[in-house]
Structure formats: C-alpha cells, structure tokens
Amino acid sequence: PNKIASNIPKRNHIKRLYRESIRLNLDKFPKGHNFIFYCNGSSQGKTYEEINADILKFLQNYPFTLS
C-alpha cells in the first residue's frame, strides 16, 4: 500500500496540469467531440509548459477543421 500511496500526489499533480491546460485551451477543441487523455509514465516530471505544448500539438495534428 505504501508504494501505491506514494504515487498518488504525483499522479494528482499531473492530472491538475492536464486539466488546467485543457481548461485554458477549451475553445480550440471542436464542439461535439469527446476526448480522453491517457497520461502514462512519460508525463511524470513534465512541466505545465511541456504538457500544454503536447496538447496544442495534438490539436494541430488532429484531423478536424475548426469552425
């Protein structure tokens, strides 16, 4: 249990960074679409700027048109 409990603050921090980035870029997401972001181990240790850049890169490469 201690090993699992020690990862909880790190995981919550990553979720907060993703939520904030998505909240600030919500107007760039297409309407009528649902997105699920899966954060794997590579997200650990990233800064807000790096996560935000990843989300913006995803939005640029996603095959939809913004209208």
Side-chain angles (χ1 to χ4, degrees), residues 14-50:
I14 292 168
K15 287 194 299 187
R16 284 194 305 271
L17 293 175
Y18 271 89
R19 280 192 198 122
E20 182 65 9
S21 178
I22 291 168
R23 183 184 71 82
L24 293 175
N25 293 300
L26 200 54
D27 60 329
K28 296 178 179 137
F29 283 85
K31 305 290 185 258
H33 288 79
N34 295 320
F35 294 93
I36 297 174
F37 288 91
Y38 176 75
C39 308
N40 56 16
S42 66
S43 296
Q44 191 172 6
K46 283 191 174 184
T47 64
Y48 169 77
E49 289 78 17
E50 292 170 323

